[in-house]
Amino acid sequence: MKRVVTSGDLTQRAMRPAELLDAYLAHAQADILRFDLMLGGLERPCPACSGHGAPEFMRFGFSYQRCTACGSLFVSPVPREERLARYHAEGAAERFRREQLLPMTADVRARHALGPRARWVLSAAASRLGRSPTLAQFGAETPPLLDLLRASASVVQWPADVTADGADARVDGVIAFDVLERAADFSRALHRCRRALHPRGLLFVTTMSGGGFDVRMLGPRTAALVPPVHLQLLSRAGWLAALAREGATLVEYSTPGELDVQAVADACRRDPGLRLPPILDELVRHEDEQVGRAFQELLQQACLSSHVQLIAEAGPDAPIPR
Amino acid sequence: MYRVGIIGFGRIGRRRAALVNAHPRLELTAVADPYVQDAAAVSPSCTWHRSGADLLRQDLHAVFVCTPFAVTTDLVVDALKAGKHVFAEKPPGRCVADIERIRDVEALFPGLTVKFGFNHREHDSVRMSESLISSGELGRLMWMRGTYGKAGGPGYEGDWRSDPDIAGGGILLDQGIHMLDLFRVFAGEFAEIKSFVGQAFWKVGVEDNAFALLRSADGCVAMLHSSATHWNHTFRLEIYLTEGYLVLDGFLTGSQTYGRETLVIGRRDWNDVDSARGRPREERYYFDEDQSWEREVDDFVRCISTGSPVVNGNSLDAQRAMELVMRVYADDGWRAAR
């Protein structure tokens, strides 16, 4: 098993400008009410391991539960799929994200997210899948990412919704960047990804972690946490359980997120009522910024940053899709 | 199932025995070592011999030669003549003539597999580096700087590895040869060599430090420091290419003293302000498992069963690595006190 740690100059301010993020969250809260997302919501056990959930915190009216078995964080009751679909398709928040937030942060995302992700996929594909692998990407179409990938691999774009129709071929690698956490039926979404893979094919996932420093320190105050988008944030143990159910194996698990410490420090500055354990407060708000960077790297080394990237390998006997 | 014998049952021989016992296609049938009598404890069905010659008379498919360097060559040659496939630890003898003799005999038995234990090639950090370099995404290889050192430590002066008659050379031949082999993996053959070789601390008949500069025909320069006075055990290989760099730092070994195995990947990016200041964004991979030994044995078994040639650690690799060692010695006029 290998894991990656990144170091660089990424800042919370550049990746998530406060004024844009605040506007986006305001839209999200309005859309939650507009589409009545909690109406008829379904109680559920842990989507990763079917374990029991204990209430952890509320955010925007959503109840986040912590699985007592695997430690994953998940929303329950979970909104109905049709309501979520309307939120994503018609909501002001998603439109704002597409038309304002992403374009305004495109440069920094290209350098710190898309480029590294493309290189990560291509490197793993080259060493594990051989030359000229066929890849398919679920999720929102991201032309810069596709351009980078297509320089070295054959890549097709599949639906934004993993469980939607239109992805019946089999490929060597499935890319699911920031999509599995938003599936109302996580098990079906993961099964769909695995079913699309040839035996020994690879599933590339990026997502938010339920065990990350940011969300564990801040809980409902986690700025990056948007309930209709983050319906399940699996822990490492949760991923192991979910993948095992699909006959897949976790071959790489890293949390190369660079922003936890900055995000927690920002939250503390913005909310004087927020109290961290004193020594952690001192570390995240240390006057020497190198201390914060070192702390962030330590979180990455321990796989405790909030941004996860993982690779799972399909088993040798993955069945032909029906 | 291939019946396997191990000649030399010291630390490395025992490690090989564990690998053989764990392999589904290998059966440890015989062990030879004049000083060890607990082979049965390792494998109850195992026959124990006092000499390699005795073991080679047994009906075996393959042998692992895990002996001091002075006897490696004769045993590999005798094993081939006895019709056995051979896996031998590095170095392949004590001089270039030794490996040339092995290759001469190997040529007489084209159906037999001969592989040498250059296991560093099979480490994850090395394999990932090789993949990145061969993909071309980091550009053209410009230079490398490799440090491989250990402390020697208590008992070093009395160890057979410090005896010039048995070992043939010092730290460069024993450990530095791995770094030279990796230089070859990444840069190919070297046309020129400059070196300083000598003793800085240990009062033994072999070198305890070797510094070398090597240049390939197409201009790649590699700098080596192989040391037995590196009080903090160190493995570090920096590889700089026109579009980025790789730093292999730490190495998972049996002793667990070379630190965590990591690979840093950085890219030249002059469009970024911080990069212009010399602090580019880096990705550091941590590797938690050393599967190099298993991969070597797997590859050996695969070559035996399919008849395919050895790609990593064949006798030509061994000869070229040995030639580099001897050229480093020769440039500084160094001779072990044999």
Side-chain angles (χ1 to χ4, degrees):
Chain A
M1 182 83 81
K2 69 182 178 196
R3 60 191 185 283
V4 66
V5 168
T6 57
S7 61
D9 59 335
L10 181 61
T11 63
Q12 173 87 343
R13 195 168 51 252
M15 191 66 141
R16 300 171 186 152
E19 62 280 11
L20 288 177
L21 188 59
D22 288 346
Y24 169 57
L25 292 175
H27 284 304
Q29 290 183 80
D31 285 348
I32 289 167
L33 297 175
R34 179 181 163 203
F35 297 108
D36 220 350
L37 288 193
M38 296 317 299
L39 186 68
L42 303 169
E43 297 279 355
R44 62 173 179 166
C46 172
C49 74
S50 302
H52 173 69
E56 181 97 344
F57 58 80
M58 300 288 292
R59 180 160 167 87
F60 299 171
F62 287 72
S63 171
Y64 276 92
Q65 316 261 321
R66 176 78 65 184
C67 176
T68 55
C70 74
S72 295
L73 193 64
F74 60 98
V75 165
S76 179
V78 66
R80 290 188 171 275
E81 284 190 54
E82 60 276 15
R83 290 181 183 277
L84 276 171
R86 287 194 65 200
Y87 171 94
H88 291 303
E90 303 169 26
E94 282 303 294
R95 192 168 61 248
F96 181 84
R97 195 176 73 88
R98 279 194 310 273
E99 296 176 0
Q100 303 279 328
L101 188 56
L102 295 183
M104 295 285 279
T105 56
D107 287 349
V108 72
R109 282 166 37 77
R111 195 169 108 74
H112 288 276
L114 303 183
R117 285 179 182 184
R119 289 193 293 266
W120 168 61
V121 168
L122 293 174
S123 168
S127 62
R128 287 180 169 270
L129 299 174
R131 297 206 181 278
S132 306
T134 54
L135 306 175
Q137 182 186 226
F138 282 113
E141 188 164 344
T142 316
L145 177 65
L146 290 173
D147 289 345
L148 290 168
L149 292 170
R150 283 172 178 157
S152 304
S154 166
V155 189
V156 294
Q157 177 68 42
W158 280 352
D161 178 359
V162 180
T163 53
D165 291 336
D168 292 328
R170 295 188 102 193
V171 292
D172 301 313
V174 165
I175 298 167
F177 287 168
D178 308 324
V179 293
L180 289 172
E181 63 267 39
R182 63 173 65 196
D185 186 340
F186 173 78
S187 297
R188 189 153 58 97
L190 186 61
H191 180 67
R192 186 67 180 276
C193 290
R194 203 277 291 146
R195 207 180 63 177
L197 286 170
H198 288 301
R200 300 290 187 202
L202 299 181
L203 171 62
F204 299 89
V205 174
T206 64
T207 185
M208 205 165 152
S209 167
F213 184 71
D214 183 347
V215 75
R216 279 164 79 171
M217 285 293 107
L218 301 178
R221 295 176 171 95
T222 307
L225 187 64
V226 185
V229 175
H230 299 119
L231 297 172
Q232 49 267 325
L233 309 179
L234 271 59
S235 65
R236 189 175 189 279
W239 278 109
L240 286 169
L243 291 168
R245 203 169 53 232
E246 289 294 333
T249 311
L250 188 65
V251 296
E252 185 180 319
Y253 183 92
S254 306
T255 65
E258 299 175 56
L259 296 177
D260 296 73
V261 171
Q262 291 181 51
V264 173
D266 281 356
C268 290
R269 276 190 284 270
R270 290 172 63 143
D271 182 354
L274 182 58
R275 289 277 180 267
L276 300 181
I279 192 164
L280 288 178
D281 186 76
E282 222 170 302
L283 281 169
V284 300
R285 292 202 277 182
H286 202 283
E287 62 187 19
D288 180 353
E289 68 175 31
Q290 292 301 323
V291 170
R293 290 188 185 210
F295 188 31
Q296 184 68 43
E297 285 196 25
L298 180 68
L299 292 172
Q300 294 183 43
Q301 284 185 33
C303 291
L304 290 174
S305 163
S306 293
H307 166 68
V308 170
Q309 68 179 38
L310 66 86
I311 302 175
E313 184 182 78
D317 54 351
I320 302 293
R322 289 186 292 275
Chain B
M1 206 68 163
Y2 295 111
R3 290 184 301 281
V4 167
I6 294 177
I7 306 175
F9 210 56
R11 183 169 55 86
I12 300 298
R14 287 167 192 267
R15 186 160 187 178
R16 292 291 177 200
L19 293 165
V20 169
N21 281 331
H23 199 285
R25 301 191 63 186
L26 300 179
E27 179 187 10
L28 183 57
T29 309
V31 168
D33 193 300
Y35 306 109
V36 180
Q37 304 193 25
D38 64 345
V42 177
S43 180
S45 60
C46 206
T47 308
W48 175 65
H49 300 277
R50 295 194 66 83
S51 73
D54 289 345
L55 179 142
L56 291 175
R57 280 190 282 274
Q58 197 168 329
D59 182 21
L60 302 169
H61 295 100
V63 294
F64 285 72
V65 178
C66 311
T67 55
F69 315 154
V71 294
T72 300
T73 305
D74 286 343
L75 286 167
V76 172
V77 165
D78 291 347
L80 287 170
K81 288 178 177 172
K84 323 291 191 205
H85 303 283
V86 182
F87 185 105
E89 304 300 337
K90 61 79 208 164
R94 294 178 296 176
C95 58
V96 174
D98 284 347
I99 179 62
E100 286 176 340
R101 186 155 73 92
I102 289 172
R103 282 173 54 78
D104 286 345
V105 176
E106 180 189 14
L108 301 175
F109 301 96
L112 294 178
T113 294
V114 179
K115 182 176 170 75
F116 288 90
F118 287 99
N119 75 313
H120 288 37
R121 292 170 175 235
E122 301 288 0
H123 275 251
D124 281 325
S125 61
V126 172
R127 285 161 60 121
M128 191 166 173
S129 299
E130 201 179 352
S131 172
L132 280 162
I133 292 171
S134 63
S135 76
E137 70 167 277
L138 294 177
R140 174 179 53 81
L141 180 60
M142 299 186 297
W143 57 266
M144 296 181 280
R145 185 164 52 207
T147 301
Y148 205 177
K150 60 183 178 182
Y156 183 72
E157 286 154 315
D159 191 281
W160 66 261
R161 285 180 170 78
S162 303
D163 182 332
D165 288 329
I166 300 174
I171 191 66
L172 178 64
L173 182 58
D174 179 30
Q175 187 183 63
I177 193 171
H178 278 301
M179 190 64 85
L180 290 171
D181 182 57
L182 295 183
F183 283 174
R184 282 192 64 247
V185 167
F186 296 126
E189 305 304 339
F190 290 91
E192 302 167 78
I193 292 180
K194 307 287 183 190
S195 71
F196 293 103
V197 181
Q199 290 174 330
F201 182 82
W202 295 105
K203 304 297 183 230
V204 293
V206 295
E207 82 282 359
D208 62 16
N209 275 277
F211 301 83
L213 271 174
L214 306 87
R215 184 160 63 184
S216 70
D218 54 3
C220 173
V221 174
M223 184 188 294
L224 168 73
H225 179 200
S226 172
S227 177
T229 61
H230 223 291
W231 309 133
N232 56 333
H233 286 191
T234 298
F235 176 91
R236 184 177 171 89
L237 174 56
E238 299 156 288
I239 304 171
Y240 276 69
L241 303 101
T242 51
E243 301 301 323
Y245 57 92
L246 305 166
V247 180
L248 298 82
D249 195 10
F251 222 55
L252 292 172
T253 64
S255 69
Q256 300 284 318
T257 56
Y258 289 85
R260 299 163 73 173
E261 185 169 329
T262 65
L263 171 65
V264 170
I265 305 170
R267 288 173 170 83
R268 180 173 67 79
D269 178 6
W270 288 344
N271 296 318
D272 178 74
V273 174
D274 269 13
S275 297
R277 289 205 299 261
R279 290 189 61 250
R281 181 181 193 278
E282 291 183 338
E283 296 165 0
R284 179 185 294 265
Y285 281 88
Y286 288 78
F287 302 94
D288 298 327
E289 297 166 280
D290 173 15
Q291 296 181 327
S292 63
W293 295 68
E294 287 85 353
R295 287 174 180 151
E296 271 187 329
V297 173
D298 282 348
D299 185 58
F300 181 53
V301 173
R302 184 186 59 79
C303 290
I304 291 174
S305 60
T306 63
S308 52
V310 175
V311 175
N312 265 339
N314 59 34
S315 62
L316 183 60
D317 290 327
Q319 178 174 336
R320 294 289 182 247
M322 185 65 108
E323 286 169 351
L324 286 180
V325 169
M326 296 305 152
R327 287 166 66 194
V328 171
Y329 287 151
D331 182 72
D332 197 34
W334 175 259
R335 287 178 63 87
R338 295 168 72 173

